[in-house]
């Protein structure tokens, strides 16, 4: 009988290169624990990333991995999942990668219900390029690109993901890896697009949102919060800012992109060489 894997079994031979105290460590530990809880076979797992400090995560996980272009992890992960729906497919990246250059892909991952888990580690700053404001940087925040204070309103990623119709939306805090592990595990088990937002610190380039500040603003979602109630989830995340709700915020079941594609293949007689024009009602010219 095979022995269940431990979190340590998912550590690759490459040691993380992040700065001491980086929030990415907490998120990585949570990923190891989530994979161990589900006993995911490393050869059946693919972690896809774009560019950034958080996007280095796949190197440190014992699995298949793709370190792709800035902001393009989502489309690549979509292709991986459609090519082999038996795989466990995860995206790991940061706020700049996911919501600046990659922001155009988020609605489509969500609305198409691509069967992947997106772990977005949000430290409200660009770390890899040495401290510029990101889409989630707070108003007034001083960074290397905003020496007089950030003039922009920060994005509300959770509200966006709900509006985009993501079928699983959760938020954790890197200072609580156990909670993050539960959320990532539940996201990996979810059939469809699971978005797990992790609030994290960047001690090197973001002194304002340090770990103590984040610990002070996170609040567990109310016990009576109904995760099937989209309006309630939206109200909860719209109020965020001063206090950030953590936990599972929204979840619903609906067909996934790979299920739709399987149906198309079935209608086409099970062949990859099908005539898409026939399926969509167009006759041959
Ligand atoms: Fe982490 Fe910030 Fe260092 Fe990047 S720059 S590794 S995000 S602490």
């Amino acid at each position: 009988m095979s022995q269940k894997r431990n979190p340590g079994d998912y550590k690759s031979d490459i040691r993380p290169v992040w700065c001491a105290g980086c929030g990415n460590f907490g998120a990585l530990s949570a990923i190891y624990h989530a994979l161990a809880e589900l006993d995911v076979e490393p050869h059946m797992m693919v972690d896809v990333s774009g560019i950034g400090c958080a996007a280095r995560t796949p190197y440190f996980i014992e699995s298949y991995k793709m370190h792709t272009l800035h902001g393009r992890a989502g489309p690549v992960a979509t292709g991986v999942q459609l090519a082999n729906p038996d795989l466990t497919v995860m995206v790991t990246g940061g706020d700049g990668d996911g919501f600046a250059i990659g922001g155009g892909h988020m609605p489509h991952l969500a609305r198409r219900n691509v069967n992947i888990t997106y772990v977005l580690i949000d430290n409200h700053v660009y770390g890899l390029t040495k401290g510029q404001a990101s889409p989630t940087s707070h108003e007034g925040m001083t960074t290397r690109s905003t020496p007089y204070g950030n003039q922009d309103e920060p994005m509300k990623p959770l509200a966006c993901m709900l509006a985009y119709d993501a079928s699983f939306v959760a938020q954790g805090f890197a200072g609580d890896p156990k909670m993050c592990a539960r959320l990532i595990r539940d996201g990996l088990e979810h059939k469809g697009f699971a978005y797990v937002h992790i609030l994290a610190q960047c001690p090197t380039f973001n002194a304002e949102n340090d770990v103590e500040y984040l610990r002070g603003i996170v609040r567990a979602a109310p016990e009576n919060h109904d995760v099937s109630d989209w309006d309630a989830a939206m109200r909860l995340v719209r109020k965020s800012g001063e206090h950030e709700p953590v936990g599972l915020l929204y979840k619903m079941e609906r067909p996934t992109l790979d299920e739709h594609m399987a149906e198309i293949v079935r209608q086409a007689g099970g062949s990859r060489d099908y005539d898409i024009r026939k399926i969509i009602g167009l006759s041959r010219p």
Side-chain angles (χ1 to χ4, degrees):
M1 203 173 80
S2 70
Q3 183 136 8
K4 201 172 176 306
R5 291 168 188 82
N6 296 311
D9 294 332
Y10 294 94
K11 287 187 182 173
S12 76
D13 294 337
I14 303 172
R15 287 174 61 85
V17 289
W18 296 315
C19 312
C22 176
N24 292 335
F25 285 106
L28 179 63
S29 168
I31 292 169
Y32 291 148
H33 280 81
L35 294 173
E37 268 200 55
L38 297 175
D39 202 21
V40 174
E41 296 183 85
H43 75 279
M44 292 301 288
M45 151 97 188
V46 184
D47 187 14
V48 184
S49 70
I51 300 296
C53 291
R56 292 185 169 194
T57 302
Y59 287 102
F60 317 129
I61 299 174
E62 185 62 31
S63 71
Y64 285 103
K65 58 208 76 186
M66 296 180 79
H67 192 184
T68 68
L69 298 175
H70 200 8
R72 308 297 173 229
V76 174
T78 302
V80 172
Q81 202 279 332
L82 287 180
N84 185 353
D86 292 335
L87 294 172
T88 296
V89 183
M90 189 167 68
V91 170
T92 43
D95 38 304
D97 191 51
F99 282 106
I101 190 167
H105 295 299
M106 286 298 199
H108 309 295
L109 297 170
R111 76 182 171 89
R112 301 169 93 192
N113 206 22
V114 182
N115 196 2
I116 62 175
T117 300
Y118 198 127
V119 179
L120 190 136
I121 306 167
D122 181 6
N123 55 22
H124 310 95
V125 77
Y126 282 91
L128 191 71
T129 48
K130 307 216 179 303
Q132 297 82 12
S134 86
T136 59
S137 295
H138 295 166
E139 200 175 349
M141 185 171 146
T142 305
T143 69
R144 288 193 172 172
S145 60
T146 56
Y148 302 103
N150 182 27
Q151 300 302 304
D152 299 333
E153 278 279 336
M155 279 187 76
K156 290 188 181 297
L158 296 170
C160 289
M161 298 318 295
L162 286 168
Y164 295 158
D165 227 3
S167 57
F168 180 108
V169 178
Q171 177 160 254
F173 161 48
D176 186 350
K178 275 191 185 165
M179 171 196 261
C180 293
R182 282 198 303 276
L183 297 174
I184 295 168
R185 176 202 64 196
D186 292 352
L188 290 169
E189 282 191 312
H190 174 68
K191 189 170 71 70
F193 183 69
Y195 178 76
V196 182
H197 192 93
I198 297 184
L199 297 166
Q201 70 279 13
C202 169
T204 305
F205 293 114
N206 187 351
E208 292 184 30
N209 303 134
D210 65 10
V211 70
E212 289 314 318
Y213 167 81
L214 294 173
R215 200 183 301 284
I217 62 166
V218 295
R219 295 281 185 280
E223 268 182 29
N224 62 356
H225 173 61
D226 177 358
V227 298
S228 68
D229 185 339
W230 186 92
D231 292 300
M234 190 57 111
R235 277 197 299 278
L236 209 54
V237 305
R238 290 275 301 158
K239 276 198 278 178
S240 65
E242 217 170 294
H243 291 136
E244 289 283 343
V246 287
L248 176 58
L249 305 173
Y250 180 68
K251 182 177 170 173
M252 61 98 78
E253 299 286 337
R254 63 184 165 88
T256 60
L257 179 63
D258 60 295
E259 287 174 342
H260 284 302
M261 296 306 286
E263 177 58 18
I264 288 176
V265 172
R266 192 193 63 75
Q267 286 183 30
S271 164
R272 282 175 180 266
D273 188 24
Y274 55 81
D275 185 346
I276 189 70
R277 288 167 297 193
K278 192 170 156 203
I279 294 168
I280 63 175
L282 295 174
S283 53
R284 281 182 181 277

